[in-house]
Amino acid sequence: MFEGIYFQFPKLSFILFFFLACEALCPLRTNALYFPRTLLFGESKMRPPLWMWIAKWAMISFFIVALMSPVREIKEEVEGYDILFAIDPQSLTSETLSDIQTFIKGRENDRFALFVPASSDIMIPLSDDYEKLLKIVAQLSVVPTEEKITRQIDRFFSTTSEGRGWIILLSEEPKHFVRSLPVDKETSIIAPSEDWVEALDRSHPAFSVIGVQKYFEYFYIYPLFLGFLAMLAYLYGRNQKGLR
């Protein structure tokens, strides 16, 4: 029940030392409501009941705990695909890059990676920083080569949950471009000259998430309620005959 709970303002715990010091050092001038030196109440031979002492310090402690604001951080799971664009350098044109940008813009809950095998490979790991991804895609420029892709591209999915990996293979001649692919990742082979963006959106619709992805669950109400009950018990004891 209390797993993952921590305090937003833990430094407020120092207030307890103020009350401890006041209990020991502050003289009793009036019939104080909250933090009396109970040993001085009534006749000199009268001792206050133990439950009243417990209620007093429970009241103080619970109110301080409520001020410290116990919270638990909640992360809402966001569903989406982890998508790798594997692009044949022979098919890398301005139209292809424009289509990739359009596809990325419409899928806010997906992560994207980019791989273009060339004399100097272009490898962008999975990311959801869409602004940087779009800038990188807009600036892509490679010299066509005869490089092939292999199942080593599986390393792009090292942080992917099971069942979410998706490879989009962009090539006019995939048989010459692909040597081998991971067997456990879904693959869509696309000819860049086709109108593939809408087709993939229909076959793999983008996920949508309602609400926030991260928020706090507050628990201050529980110590506040317990502190209030302890205060009622303490005031009940204060109002008993002989303890006024």
Side-chain angles (χ1 to χ4, degrees):
M1 177 180 177
F2 299 106
E3 183 179 357
I5 295 178
Y6 63 95
F7 295 105
Q8 276 191 304
F9 312 108
K11 293 183 179 179
L12 290 180
S13 60
F14 83 90
I15 298 176
L16 179 62
F17 296 100
F18 168 79
F19 290 124
L20 290 172
C22 191
E23 168 79 2
L25 303 175
C26 296
L28 183 62
R29 296 181 182 275
T30 62
N31 208 11
L33 177 64
Y34 290 116
F35 316 113
R37 299 179 65 184
T38 54
L39 293 178
L40 300 180
F41 277 107
E43 299 179 3
S44 59
K45 295 182 180 180
M46 177 177 290
R47 293 180 60 86
L50 177 62
W51 69 264
M52 186 175 173
W53 181 89
I54 294 175
K56 178 186 71 171
W57 286 106
M59 170 184 65
I60 296 171
S61 301
F62 283 127
F63 282 157
I64 293 175
V65 169
L67 283 175
M68 292 166 63
S69 188
V71 297
R72 178 161 53 200
E73 188 174 346
I74 304 297
K75 293 183 179 179
E76 183 176 301
E77 290 293 329
V78 178
E79 295 188 47
Y81 292 102
D82 284 341
I83 302 173
L84 168 64
F85 280 106
I87 307 173
D88 188 345
Q90 308 288 343
S91 303
L92 191 61
T93 64
S94 59
E95 289 79 12
T96 302
L97 297 179
S98 178
D99 287 341
I100 293 174
Q101 289 177 303
T102 300
F103 188 76
I104 292 175
K105 290 177 182 178
R107 308 181 72 93
E108 296 181 350
N109 294 321
D110 294 334
R111 295 194 302 171
F112 294 91
L114 192 68
F115 178 50
V116 184
S119 54
S120 179
D121 291 347
I122 297 174
M123 294 182 291
I124 310 299
L126 284 169
S127 173
D128 58 3
D129 190 336
Y130 302 107
E131 184 177 347
K132 289 184 178 179
L133 284 168
L134 293 172
K135 288 181 179 179
I136 291 172
V137 172
Q139 297 172 4
L140 280 181
S141 177
V142 298
V143 177
T145 64
E146 298 296 330
E147 297 290 332
K148 298 180 182 293
I149 63 171
T150 68
R151 61 178 303 172
Q152 288 183 353
I153 61 175
D154 198 24
R155 66 185 184 276
F156 283 93
F157 300 99
S158 59
T159 61
T160 298
S161 301
E162 184 178 355
R164 291 180 57 201
W166 180 20
I167 302 171
I168 298 179
L169 190 69
L170 295 172
S171 177
E172 296 287 354
E173 298 180 351
K175 291 183 179 180
H176 298 287
F177 179 51
V178 178
R179 181 173 296 162
S180 60
L181 289 170
V183 295
D184 59 338
K185 299 294 184 294
E186 183 177 0
T187 302
S188 297
I189 300 175
I190 303 297
S193 58
E194 299 174 352
D195 186 11
W196 56 272
V197 175
E198 292 185 3
L200 287 188
D201 280 338
R202 287 194 300 270
S203 61
H204 297 76
F207 290 97
S208 61
V209 176
I210 300 176
V212 296
Q213 298 182 19
K214 183 178 178 180
Y215 60 94
F216 290 111
E217 182 181 3
Y218 290 89
F219 293 88
Y220 66 86
I221 190 65
Y222 298 104
L224 195 62
F225 178 69
L226 293 174
F228 177 72
L229 293 181
M231 183 181 69
L232 292 180
Y234 173 69
L235 292 178
Y236 172 79
R238 283 288 313 279
N239 290 324
Q240 294 304 298
K241 184 176 181 180
L243 290 177
R244 295 184 180 184

